[in-house]
Amino acid sequence: MTAFGDALRVAVQRSGRSLDELAEVLRERGTPVSASALSYWQNGGNRPERASSLAALATLEEVLGESPGALAALLGPRRPRGRRAVALPPDVRPPNLFWHQPDAVLRALAKLDATRADLADPVKLSQSFTYRVDEHGHEAAIRVHRLIRARRDGLRRFLFLTRCVTLPQPPAVTFTEGCHPGRFRADVPTSTCVFEFLLDRPLRAGETAMVEFGLRYPPGQLDTYVRVEIGRACRDVALRVVFDPRRVPVRCVGHFQPTVDAPLLTTSETGPHEQIQAFQYVTLDPAPGAYGISWQWPGP
């Protein structure tokens, strides 16, 4: 939490109004801010910085009965932008080495006032991904479990990148543990999605925590592989794909790619006569790079 967020939360509680009610008042007065944005201001996930947001804050101070500028004075200096904001820690390899469409990822991150450096904090000590594929061969859902460690004091959020084959509607968060949903943004032309998750409590530098969340993908995600990018050496990464018993593949392969331009290196695969309802690929002490599972459906 921040001094600004604490003060805003107290002022809102004192007013007796809900965030939805306040958002409606702000809209009526010509300085619109959504209820979700007000929530982010309260919990430290975001802060008013643009001219339109600062104008809304001035209106909000009036509506809440605060002295003019009382809440704005608690904002402190603006967050860094430009080169200083994108510097990566020395132990993190540039993620554009592994991304197929780095410009699309950067555009999606920018919509959350984030850069590629924000993907490096917190440190991901351990990660596991479980994908579910439905009876039509469509990727239906993902479950992610992470053991994380904060690089700095006051860490309040982490980001998750994913890509859909098509984006008829946004993916939906189905559950969370140790965190709760923040904002969602997407680079629509490339279906590149970024989720913001807010930690249940801020972490101190060096503090660890376990977080878990699930996503349901929109319909029509027909693909034959899953892939995750690891930009920093960690303890382990585990991928698992679970297939609907009504449609199972004839072959699954685990693979590693050190950079986006390098050939895929096969690390594990199923035998020729296995009945494949689930396939997993687990790597201890993984090197930076892209890890994935691909599969082959039966012929006609």
Side-chain angles (χ1 to χ4, degrees):
M1 195 65 63
T2 62
F4 168 75
D6 284 336
L8 177 58
R9 184 182 298 277
V10 170
V12 170
Q13 292 174 345
R14 188 186 300 123
S15 74
R17 300 196 191 196
S18 69
L19 296 182
D20 287 327
E21 291 170 338
L22 290 171
E24 178 63 20
V25 172
L26 292 175
R27 186 189 65 78
E28 292 172 351
R29 296 199 180 192
T31 54
V33 172
S34 67
S36 59
L38 293 174
S39 177
Y40 302 142
W41 291 2
Q42 284 189 155
N43 59 36
N46 199 358
R47 50 173 280 173
E49 290 189 340
R50 295 190 179 99
S52 59
S53 297
L54 293 173
L57 178 58
T59 304
L60 187 60
E61 289 172 336
E62 179 184 350
V63 171
L64 295 175
E66 298 293 309
S67 301
L71 294 174
L74 300 174
L75 286 172
R78 287 175 61 89
R79 292 175 297 184
R81 291 291 189 267
R83 283 186 173 272
R84 292 178 59 197
V86 301
L88 289 173
D91 60 341
V92 178
R93 297 185 68 188
N96 52 289
L97 292 178
F98 323 122
W99 294 340
H100 283 296
Q101 296 176 302
D103 290 343
V105 175
L106 294 176
R107 288 194 299 267
L109 289 173
K111 294 180 180 182
L112 289 178
D113 295 324
T115 70
R116 59 183 188 174
D118 292 287
L119 299 174
D121 195 7
V123 175
K124 304 168 191 70
L125 300 175
S126 177
Q127 298 192 80
S128 67
F129 306 83
T130 298
Y131 298 85
R132 295 197 174 273
V133 178
D134 66 20
E135 71 273 20
H136 306 294
H138 297 171
E139 188 177 331
I142 182 176
R143 185 183 187 111
V144 180
H145 178 92
R146 284 175 170 173
L147 174 63
I148 61 175
R149 182 177 64 213
R151 288 183 179 271
R152 56 183 172 82
D153 287 335
L155 181 72
R156 296 177 176 85
R157 73 169 183 172
F158 65 90
L159 304 176
F160 177 72
L161 280 168
T162 188
R163 183 181 176 276
C164 296
V165 177
T166 60
L167 199 61
Q169 62 196 51
V173 178
T174 54
F175 77 94
T176 58
E177 292 286 347
C179 59
H180 51 282
R183 296 168 293 172
F184 167 80
R185 296 291 186 271
D187 181 66
V188 176
T190 62
S191 300
T192 302
C193 304
V194 58
F195 285 85
E196 175 188 62
F197 289 95
L198 305 175
L199 296 170
D200 287 349
R201 65 174 183 83
L203 299 181
R204 300 182 301 275
E207 187 175 6
T208 59
M210 288 191 300
V211 295
E212 193 168 5
F213 57 90
L215 302 177
R216 181 177 62 253
Y217 286 108
Q221 305 305 309
L222 184 60
D223 217 333
T224 55
Y225 74 95
V226 295
R227 170 189 172 99
V228 299
E229 292 82 19
I230 307 297
R232 176 189 180 275
C234 59
R235 296 179 182 178
D236 59 79
V237 60
L239 284 76
R240 185 168 182 257
V241 182
V242 179
F243 300 94
D244 187 283
R246 289 168 288 186
R247 187 178 191 193
V248 296
V250 294
R251 183 171 181 259
C252 287
V253 177
H255 49 76
F256 169 68
Q257 191 176 28
T259 67
V260 71
D261 297 323
L264 290 177
L265 306 175
T266 298
T267 58
S268 59
E269 60 184 306
T270 54
H273 303 296
E274 291 187 48
Q275 292 294 315
I276 310 164
Q277 191 168 341
F279 183 79
Q280 65 180 13
Y281 173 21
V282 180
T283 304
L284 302 179
D285 302 317
Y291 295 80
I293 295 174
S294 57
W295 57 90
Q296 180 182 345
W297 297 116

